[in-house]
Amino acid sequence: MNYIESNQDILNRWKTKFCEDKSKDSEYEGYDPAKYFAEDGIMYRGALKYLPKTHEDGNTTYRWAHTINGNENSLWEAAPLRVLYLTKDQNTSGCETWDVRSESYRYLAPNATENDLSTVRFHVNLVYSLYGLLKTTPERMMGFENFTDAEALKLSEEAIYARINCRKEYGLESCSDEKLSTAINTYKDYLREQVCNLDADLFICCGSHNDKNIILENLNAFYDNKFKWIGYATWYNEEDNKVAIDSYHLSYMKGGYQQRYEDIVKTYFDFLKYHPDFLKHRI
């Protein structure tokens, strides 16, 4: 199956509808809505470039970004664990949006090396947790103290995984549950199609707030409510053999990086201990 092509088709249709809707919105008067729609999906694994970001005030900053290399689809098909991070929206900090699939979590200096991990909390928590998930087996959890920033960053630059923002519109430092729910409800059919198309094994639902996770609730609805709570922060869809982790936003820092890491990775490890055959269909 061509996951890349199908994902792009969904995004194209979603973006067209988004632009039609926003062309009637006074908030977008004088702006091109297409520049405020953030595409996402399976991460690009091509070479890194240092690219400009355009701000509304006319200033320019830069970011490290991956190009597409054409192998993403085969890498995703062959992945022993397909990890999908379901996040809220893109913190543009006043910029136009960019393609999430191109993101690198390298420090944002032009001379940053492959060892220089970003200091942005969202980036650090994603990179750490991704490393832990991909290195954890039913027999052994990858401990927080057992890898370096350089090792985690290197894996995040090379390993195949996916990210989907449930709200495609540009955002700022926070996204309220109300704003997130409105966006999901408005474009729910597109989001359902995009999420289900990627056929991930493990969903990290980064929306837990006040004992509620809107992202997880919608994921469950997309799969006909087949995800069942089986333990701390763990929901299992036994029929489709998929697991979802109820996670905080990746910028949430109560307890520090180790606590955020263990909330995701230890939860997954505890699941694997009781479901050691979870990934045998991918071996």
Side-chain angles (χ1 to χ4, degrees):
M1 174 176 172
N2 195 324
Y3 297 97
I4 302 295
E5 187 177 276
S6 299
N7 183 73
Q8 191 60 52
D9 174 69
I10 296 162
L11 289 173
N12 292 344
R13 290 185 278 112
W14 190 343
K15 189 174 185 177
T16 297
K17 183 64 168 67
F18 174 86
C19 291
E20 288 175 357
D21 293 344
K22 298 306 178 183
S23 67
K24 306 166 189 172
D25 189 335
S26 59
E27 182 182 353
Y28 279 84
E29 187 173 352
Y31 294 94
D32 179 3
K35 294 181 179 180
Y36 295 88
F37 181 92
E39 299 191 6
D40 48 27
I42 297 169
M43 302 297 282
Y44 294 158
R45 298 294 76 180
L48 278 169
K49 293 185 177 181
Y50 200 55
L51 300 178
K53 291 193 298 184
T54 303
H55 292 251
E56 291 178 345
D57 60 9
N59 291 326
T60 300
T61 57
Y62 290 82
R63 68 185 184 94
W64 283 104
H66 284 277
T67 56
I68 190 167
N69 71 6
N71 295 324
E72 287 83 2
N73 199 72
S74 58
L75 290 170
W76 186 253
E77 284 187 314
L81 175 65
R82 293 179 185 167
V83 180
L84 170 56
Y85 285 85
L86 292 171
T87 44
K88 290 185 174 183
D89 63 8
Q90 187 174 80
N91 180 5
T92 65
S93 299
C95 297
E96 296 171 356
T97 55
W98 57 88
D99 194 326
V100 174
R101 296 168 293 188
S102 69
E103 287 185 358
S104 163
Y105 303 113
R106 189 176 293 193
Y107 188 68
L108 294 180
N111 60 345
T113 73
E114 63 274 13
N115 297 323
D116 295 330
L117 178 61
S118 167
T119 57
V120 176
R121 293 175 300 178
F122 183 103
H123 297 170
V124 175
N125 281 321
L126 190 152
V127 168
Y128 284 175
S129 63
L130 179 68
Y131 189 90
L133 292 170
L134 295 182
K135 294 292 186 178
T136 290
T137 68
E139 295 76 33
R140 176 178 176 268
M141 172 185 161
M142 172 55 66
F144 181 78
E145 304 293 342
N146 294 338
F147 61 91
T148 65
D149 284 5
E151 289 172 325
L153 179 61
K154 185 174 188 294
L155 189 70
S156 77
E157 300 279 335
E158 298 173 353
I160 198 72
Y161 66 101
R163 273 195 59 200
I164 288 178
N165 281 327
C166 297
R167 181 176 181 265
K168 294 290 188 281
E169 191 172 357
Y170 78 100
L172 297 172
E173 290 184 355
S174 64
C175 176
S176 67
D177 286 351
E178 181 181 5
K179 184 181 290 186
L180 180 63
S181 290
T182 298
I184 291 175
N185 290 334
T186 302
Y187 300 106
K188 183 172 290 186
D189 290 343
Y190 295 106
L191 181 59
R192 178 191 293 110
E193 190 177 0
Q194 188 189 22
V195 169
C196 294
N197 169 71
L198 292 188
D199 191 27
D201 304 305
L202 175 60
F203 301 86
I204 311 302
C205 300
C206 305
S208 191
H209 179 66
N210 291 335
D211 298 321
K212 185 175 184 178
N213 192 325
I214 293 169
I215 293 174
L216 177 56
E217 289 174 1
N218 279 278
L219 173 69
N220 198 12
F222 296 163
Y223 281 92
D224 300 320
N225 297 311
K226 290 186 285 187
F227 281 93
K228 306 300 179 185
W229 182 81
I230 61 169
Y232 173 77
T234 311
W235 293 72
Y236 185 38
N237 173 352
E238 187 173 6
E239 181 177 333
D240 297 314
N241 196 35
K242 298 180 183 301
V243 62
I245 293 177
D246 183 356
S247 170
Y248 292 108
H249 189 287
L250 290 173
S251 293
Y252 182 71
M253 286 305 296
K254 184 177 181 180
Y257 285 122
Q258 183 167 353
Q259 182 63 55
R260 299 282 66 79
Y261 175 87
E262 292 180 353
D263 280 348
I264 294 175
V265 179
K266 187 176 185 302
T267 298
Y268 176 59
F269 176 59
D270 288 343
F271 168 80
L272 286 181
K273 286 191 295 185
Y274 293 99
H275 300 84
D277 296 335
F278 173 57
L279 294 177
K280 284 197 172 178
H281 69 295
R282 294 240 180 264
I283 298 174

